Amino acid sequence: MTSRIWSKKETQGVIKQLRDAGYLVNKTNGTYKIVDDKTEKTLFRAMAGARGYLVYFSPEIMGDAT
């Protein structure tokens, strides 16, 4: 897992792109999460913070965009 702090605009843009790519993004208590249905492994998680979002993602979901 890779972690980053992203702005709200950047995070929302990535979430939109992931949805457009066919991923089911679950939102619970302000946390966005994508879980692989087959392996039940978390592929993406974004939690709102004071200065943006703390984002964790698996390299296979984002490619080399780290």
Side-chain angles (χ1 to χ4, degrees), residues 6-9 12-14 18 31 34 36 48 50-51 60 63:
W6 290 346
S7 69
K8 180 177 180 177
K9 185 176 182 178
Q12 295 297 324
V14 169
L18 291 169
T31 300
I34 298 173
D36 187 318
R51 296 186 179 177
E60 61 253 23

Side-chain angles (χ1 to χ4, degrees), residues 41-52:
K41 178 181 175 184
T42 299
L43 300 174
F44 178 88
R45 182 174 53 206
M47 298 174 286
R51 296 186 179 177

Side-chain angles (χ1 to χ4, degrees), residues 51-63:
R51 296 186 179 177
Y53 281 80
L54 177 59
V55 179
Y56 298 95
F57 57 90
S58 182
E60 61 253 23
I61 198 169
M62 302 297 268

Side-chain angles (χ1 to χ4, degrees), residues 14-46:
V14 169
I15 289 170
K16 183 181 182 321
Q17 290 174 349
L18 291 169
R19 283 186 174 135
D20 291 346
Y23 288 100
L24 176 62
V25 180
N26 296 312
K27 181 181 178 187
T28 307
N29 297 328
T31 300
Y32 296 90
K33 191 172 185 181
I34 298 173
V35 178
D36 187 318
D37 292 335
K38 296 175 185 170
T39 64
E40 297 184 14
K41 178 181 175 184
T42 299
L43 300 174
F44 178 88
R45 182 174 53 206

